[in-house]
Amino acid sequence: MQANLFDTNDSSKDPIRHPLGDAELLEFLHLFSPTEADQILATLIQDIPWQQEYLKIAGRLRAVPRLQCWMGDHGSHYGYSGVRLSPCPWNKTVKSILARVSELSGSPFNSVLINYYRNGQDSVAWHADDERELGEAPVIASVSLGAERIFEMKEKNNSPAKKYRLPLRHGSLLVMGEKMQQHWLHQLPKVKDLQEPRINLTFRNIIAS
Ligand SMILES: O=C(O)CCC(=O)C(=O)O
Ligand SMILES: [Mn+2]
């Protein structure tokens, strides 16, 4: 009999608490086993309706350096940097990931931004997920699948700004707590010569559209 795709052992329930001081950052290293994570990565690469978004920078349209899909409950519209995203309906695999993420994080989510980094040339620049529709103090749960990439963080307001970085591992879950978007920026820099893909799912709760 095939093992339950989302069976995990008890050690997955003990998060690492990263010492950011004014914001909670929890990491669950084993949301999925490596075999489960391999399967989910391959399924999502194939099944998600990936889209190429464009940003207008200095009057010119530039391709966002990754593919994306915004998925969620009906009506959960979202936007960043002038890009307006309407949700596509929930995919079965993503719904199963959502159930596991909600259980571990203890937070409600009604939508997810899925990023597909095709190789090391895809990236995300410094930002905070502090859009109005997420409310004042959003909790964001971030699932990593595929190539290990470095997640960099820096404080928004202090001088000198504190910095923090951590590798995002295949099958892990990072929960950015309430103060994180208010006080910190984050980015995923490019990596030279990396050919392997990575998918990231950031589960969010849209409270106003
Ligand atoms: O890929 C990641 O780990 C982070 C993605 C991210 O920060 C975002 O989509 O807002
Ligand atoms: Mn983000």
Side-chain angles (χ1 to χ4, degrees):
M1 197 172 79
Q2 194 197 357
N4 179 347
L5 186 63
F6 299 148
D7 256 356
T8 45
N9 58 36
D10 276 338
S11 69
S12 69
K13 297 216 161 91
D14 300 326
I16 298 166
R17 283 174 191 276
H18 290 278
L20 293 196
D22 54 359
E24 190 169 69
L25 185 65
L26 299 182
E27 185 182 20
F28 298 84
L29 278 177
H30 308 291
L31 180 70
F32 299 116
S33 72
T35 313
E36 291 166 344
D38 287 350
Q39 280 180 34
I40 300 168
L41 176 69
T43 303
L44 295 184
I45 287 177
Q46 186 157 318
D47 290 357
I48 297 297
W50 299 111
Q51 291 186 8
Q52 175 69 70
E53 305 290 348
Y54 293 85
L55 287 178
K56 205 167 197 175
I57 299 171
R60 285 184 54 193
L61 275 188
R62 291 187 190 264
V64 169
R66 57 195 179 277
L67 300 181
Q68 294 183 296
C69 175
W70 174 245
M71 194 174 281
D73 292 353
H74 186 71
S76 51
H77 298 279
Y78 185 58
Y80 66 89
S81 308
V83 174
R84 184 97 187 125
L85 303 167
S86 294
C88 61
W90 286 103
N91 159 286
K92 195 167 146 244
T93 307
V94 176
K95 262 257 142 129
S96 311
I97 301 172
L98 167 64
R100 182 87 187 108
V101 165
S102 302
E103 184 196 325
L104 271 190
S105 67
S107 292
F109 302 105
N110 59 14
S111 49
V112 59
L113 181 61
I114 316 178
N115 286 318
Y116 177 17
Y117 304 90
R118 292 156 289 188
N119 54 46
Q121 285 312 292
D122 279 350
S123 60
V124 85
W126 286 116
H127 69 283
D129 297 304
D130 55 4
E131 288 77 18
R132 197 184 58 87
E133 50 268 55
L134 295 172
E136 291 270 297
V139 173
I140 296 183
S142 172
V143 175
S144 290
L145 301 162
E148 192 170 301
R149 301 278 296 257
I150 302 294
F151 192 61
E152 295 188 343
M153 289 152 274
K154 68 177 177 189
E155 277 183 315
K156 278 186 186 177
N157 295 321
N158 273 346
S159 176
K162 266 192 271 171
K163 293 187 176 162
Y164 198 79
R165 63 206 304 273
L166 68 112
L168 294 172
R169 301 193 203 276
H170 187 40
S172 71
L173 166 67
L174 191 68
V175 181
M176 295 188 261
E178 290 187 348
K179 297 280 163 59
M180 190 76 203
Q181 310 305 323
Q182 212 175 319
H183 295 313
W184 291 75
L185 300 171
H186 55 267
Q187 74 162 351
L188 193 91
K190 295 187 193 305
V191 180
K192 215 173 155 227
D193 297 332
L194 174 73
Q195 301 308 326
E196 284 72 38
R198 169 175 185 267
I199 285 182
N200 170 258
L201 304 97
T202 44
F203 289 91
R204 300 151 191 247
N205 198 34
I206 298 289
I207 57 173
S209 288

